[in-house]
Amino acid sequence: MIDLLKASEKYDNNPNNIFCPEAVIKSCDSILHNSSDENVATEALNKKANALLQLGEEQKAIDIYQDLLNKIPYGNLDQRQSVMKDMANAYFRLGERTNCIHNHNAESCIYPISNGGIHHDKTGSEKAIEMYKAILANDPGDLESKWLLNIAYMTTGGYPQQVPPQFLLKIKNDDSMHLVKPFRDVAANMGLNYKCIAGGCIIDDFNNDNYPDIVLSSWSLSEPMRYYRNNANGTFTDVSDSSGLGYLTGGLHIMQTDYNNDGFKDIFVLRGGWKGEFGKNPNSLLRNNGDGTFTDVTKKSGLLSFHPSQTATWADFNNDGWLDVFIGNETSPGEEAQPCQLFINNKNGTFTEVAAKAGCAITRYVKGVTSGDYNNDGLTDIFISTMNGNKILLKNESVKNGAIKFEDVSKQAGLSNNLTRTFPTWFWDYDNDGWLDILVCGYEFTQSLSYYAGAEAVQLPVGNAGKIFLFRNKHDGTFEDVTAKVGLNKVAFAMGSNFGDIDNDGYLDFYLGTGNPQLKSAVPNKLFKNMNGVSFLDVTTSARVGNLQKGHAVSFADLDNDGNEDIYIKMGGAYTADAYENSLYLNPGQNHNHWVNLSLEGTVSNRVAIGARIKVTFKDSNTERSVYRDVNSGGSFGSNPLQQHIGLGQATSVEKIEITWPVTGKIQVFENLPVDTNIKIKEGDSKFTTYQLARLDFISERHGLVACSPK
């Protein structure tokens, strides 16, 4: 696999690959050396300056923009405005690099910027401010520049008092009652602030000691995977190289599975997403050997293929007790078709590809896939999110011991009306009615995301740009778009995302990592609180989790074992300039609600119990209620632990837990269980076991990453 990945790097070094600025600069230099046409030279200089920005060479880009600006007559306002906007952005980003990157702290780039987030070296921001003011003097309606001007003033400590009144954008805070207490970024304390470009994240227990570990990947084929082993004492050890993962590169998204039912979680790595013809990189299946090491078994298992992708879902689609995998491949417009793939587990360490026969060889620009039993018939279905605008629901119509078969029921389900481009997605039961709903995030834009943030701030309509969509299951095979009804008709532009219960009220909240590759897009990541399954509240500002840098894979997990789910996010964008430190937002505890953690083990069903359905019934303030969960890793970009964390509100005991196992459909019932503990349930066993974990300290400076494997 290492040789295959090295061979794949050659596709990156191509001037036609928009994600390879080095090749673009080389091409521009050749044009500048050989062409005497002034217009051609100007275009080449513009491209070179943009490529330098993408590489983080802001001052070199500024110098080029200044030379270009000096040559443009003052009467040519449109051309001057265009160059000035690029130059202002270069100064803006220079300020970020000098402060948020080179002098990073826990409050860097957290919107609204204040306290420790204010820049010590204000030079870059102050120069950006002067340029944005000049731009807006000529074009007061420039919402992109207005948004970035306000952010720049925040970085200097001049917001709001120094912002010219006609350009001031007020901070919107839906959480006016401050229902959510602020989280704290402790990634640097723990040595978990690994800096690289966009990539994937898994939080789960890979060595079966009950303490969750962290595995990371990077989109870049030159950046290695990282594996941080939880030492169960408030520290982590970097075992990347000793595990074998540190010698593998690339991976925009990663997820856990147990393909061979040996009780040790394996890793699936997806590569090539967004790169089109340059993204025919191999995915990887990494077998967990149970001794702290992983072995690449991609070729041996039959999963080796070369298609651009970043999304997949593992589930037992034929109910034989072994996990299969559906891979959403990306077919770019005008390029060779890259159909989705369905690999059925042969129960012997190998897989057979059957997508065409099964009716699920979808050919679209697929950006998110998720699986779940939306119609409660005991068969796992598939939902697909695409950049073509199609939202595709595949109903599993397989028969026992027969061939696996899917039917496209998108139209019948009411999901085919809106052709808005979308990205991350998931099945979940947001209202706890026992039926899976669908959330999918829009990714429609024609301008920088800063423009849309500015438009939303002044309440200008933006259509479907970057909107969130929530489809409620109507229990009859159809879905209702309840986005506006629940207050989610917001601008977000989500990439990485996932869900969890931040306040243990039993209702699932979610966090979105936002952004796009454009360097002018500086918008906050967003956290939404579920208000009793009726509506959602944007609590980003109160929670202090609105990082303005590009956000990718998200994982919810209670890493310090205090009973409250924390949020880990893989930060960083598509270019070297957008490499950024990851964040671990520590949940301070929002209230005195109770919780229970459930770890399931299948015997007839797959070993890690993916697809098992959980119903927890309890009395919350004398009112009986139930919470429903499906065992999976959450959203389509970022992986939660397979252990299910379930909030219980004010309940002091659990009346009943019902587990529906995926293969047999049998329901296992346990009554009168304790709260605030970890429970293990094995399929077929009449008794459960409980265990306690040590409460860990992630605040003290003595903690952190205790050992690093050298590279």
Side-chain angles (χ1 to χ4, degrees), residues 128-191:
I129 286 170
E130 292 309 307
M131 297 210 73
Y132 282 128
K133 283 166 47 176
I135 291 164
L136 287 164
N138 292 316
D139 184 6
D142 183 345
L143 292 171
E144 174 192 281
S145 295
K146 193 176 290 188
W147 171 262
L148 292 172
L149 174 71
N150 279 258
I151 300 297
Y153 267 114
M154 288 181 190
T155 67
T156 64
Y159 179 93
Q161 67 275 10
Q162 294 177 16
V163 183
Q166 68 272 32
F167 303 143
L168 178 64
L169 298 177
K170 293 183 179 179
I171 295 170
K172 192 172 184 293
N173 182 16
D174 288 355
D175 188 13
S176 59
M177 298 187 66
H178 296 282
L179 300 176
V180 174
K181 298 175 184 176
F183 288 59
R184 176 177 175 180
D185 185 356
V186 298
N189 282 16
M190 307 308 302

Side-chain angles (χ1 to χ4, degrees), residues 231-301:
N231 296 323
N233 63 1
T235 68
F236 289 79
T237 296
D238 184 343
V239 292
S240 304
D241 288 355
S242 62
S243 68
L245 296 184
Y247 298 97
L248 294 168
T249 60
L252 185 52
H253 178 35
I254 52 178
M255 63 195 66
Q256 72 274 50
T257 183
D258 184 1
Y259 80 98
N260 56 359
N261 277 340
D262 68 350
F264 289 95
K265 297 179 184 73
D266 313 299
I267 297 172
F268 191 55
V269 184
L270 292 142
R271 299 187 179 92
W274 293 115
K275 295 181 180 179
E277 62 178 312
F278 305 108
K280 295 178 182 179
N281 309 145
N283 298 326
S284 287
L285 178 61
L286 308 176
R287 185 185 67 210
N288 187 337
N289 299 318
D291 59 1
T293 68
F294 291 80
T295 298
D296 191 305
V297 294
T298 313
K299 186 174 182 180
K300 181 180 179 181
S301 68

Side-chain angles (χ1 to χ4, degrees), residues 4 7 78 90 94 187 235 245 357 411 415 424 434 470 475 485 553 561 573 629 686 701 707:
L4 286 175
D78 288 345
L94 180 63
T235 68
L245 296 184
K357 293 180 181 178
K411 186 175 181 179
L415 298 171
L470 179 62
H475 309 179
K485 187 183 295 185
N561 303 323
R629 296 286 185 272
S686 59
E701 295 299 330

Side-chain angles (χ1 to χ4, degrees), residues 209-501:
D209 67 352
N210 297 321
Y211 288 82
D213 312 300
I214 299 176
V215 176
L216 306 174
S217 65
S218 167
W219 188 38
S220 170
L221 289 173
S222 63
E223 292 182 331
M225 295 180 67
R226 311 308 301 168
Y227 174 23
Y228 300 103
R229 187 186 66 212
N230 192 328
N231 296 323
N233 63 1
T235 68
F236 289 79
T237 296
D238 184 343
V239 292
S240 304
D241 288 355
S242 62
S243 68
L245 296 184
Y247 298 97
L248 294 168
T249 60
L252 185 52
H253 178 35
I254 52 178
M255 63 195 66
Q256 72 274 50
T257 183
D258 184 1
Y259 80 98
N260 56 359
N261 277 340
D262 68 350
F264 289 95
K265 297 179 184 73
D266 313 299
I267 297 172
F268 191 55
V269 184
L270 292 142
R271 299 187 179 92
W274 293 115
K275 295 181 180 179
E277 62 178 312
F278 305 108
K280 295 178 182 179
N281 309 145
N283 298 326
S284 287
L285 178 61
L286 308 176
R287 185 185 67 210
N288 187 337
N289 299 318
D291 59 1
T293 68
F294 291 80
T295 298
D296 191 305
V297 294
T298 313
K299 186 174 182 180
K300 181 180 179 181
S301 68
L303 289 180
L304 182 63
S305 61
F306 299 85
H307 304 280
S309 179
Q310 73 159 79
T311 186
T313 182
W314 287 81
D316 184 1
F317 293 109
N318 57 0
N319 280 345
D320 66 352
W322 295 75
L323 290 172
D324 316 301
V325 60
F326 176 84
I327 304 174
N329 293 320
E330 299 177 5
T331 298
S332 301
E335 294 186 2
E336 179 186 1
Q338 309 288 333
C340 294
Q341 297 166 289
L342 174 61
F343 289 92
I344 297 300
N345 199 318
N346 296 325
K347 310 179 188 180
N348 61 1
T350 69
F351 294 80
T352 299
E353 207 286 309
V354 299
K357 293 180 181 178
C360 58
I362 303 298
T363 304
R364 296 287 191 280
Y365 202 119
V366 178
K367 291 309 297 180
V369 298
T370 184
S371 55
D373 182 5
Y374 81 93
N375 56 356
N376 288 343
D377 67 351
L379 297 171
T380 301
D381 313 295
I382 297 171
F383 179 76
I384 302 172
S385 167
T386 78
M387 289 293 285
N388 308 88
N390 308 88
K391 298 164 187 62
I392 302 168
L393 180 63
L394 299 178
K395 179 183 176 184
N396 191 336
E397 296 195 326
S398 307
V399 295
K400 190 172 183 179
N401 299 321
I404 191 165
K405 191 70 178 175
F406 288 90
E407 179 187 356
D408 186 340
V409 295
S410 311
K411 186 175 181 179
Q412 300 94 301
L415 298 171
S416 61
N417 298 326
N418 190 320
L419 287 177
T420 302
R421 291 182 294 177
T422 52
F423 192 168
T425 186
W426 58 73
F427 278 115
W428 65 341
D429 187 356
Y430 82 93
D431 54 358
N432 283 325
D433 65 353
W435 294 76
L436 289 176
D437 313 296
I438 299 170
L439 188 139
V440 59
C441 296
Y443 209 61
E444 193 86 44
F445 59 87
T446 56
Q447 303 192 58
S448 80
L449 306 193
S450 294
Y451 164 84
Y452 295 105
E456 189 173 52
V458 298
Q459 299 182 321
L460 280 180
V462 295
N464 283 326
K467 291 296 182 71
I468 304 165
F469 297 96
L470 179 62
F471 298 100
R472 186 183 67 83
N473 195 322
K474 295 174 66 176
H475 309 179
D476 59 1
T478 68
F479 291 81
E480 174 191 4
D481 185 345
V482 296
T483 307
K485 187 183 295 185
V486 302
L488 277 180
N489 50 337
K490 312 280 188 181
V491 173
F493 297 101
M495 298 186 292
S497 52
N498 223 320
F499 56 85
D501 184 356

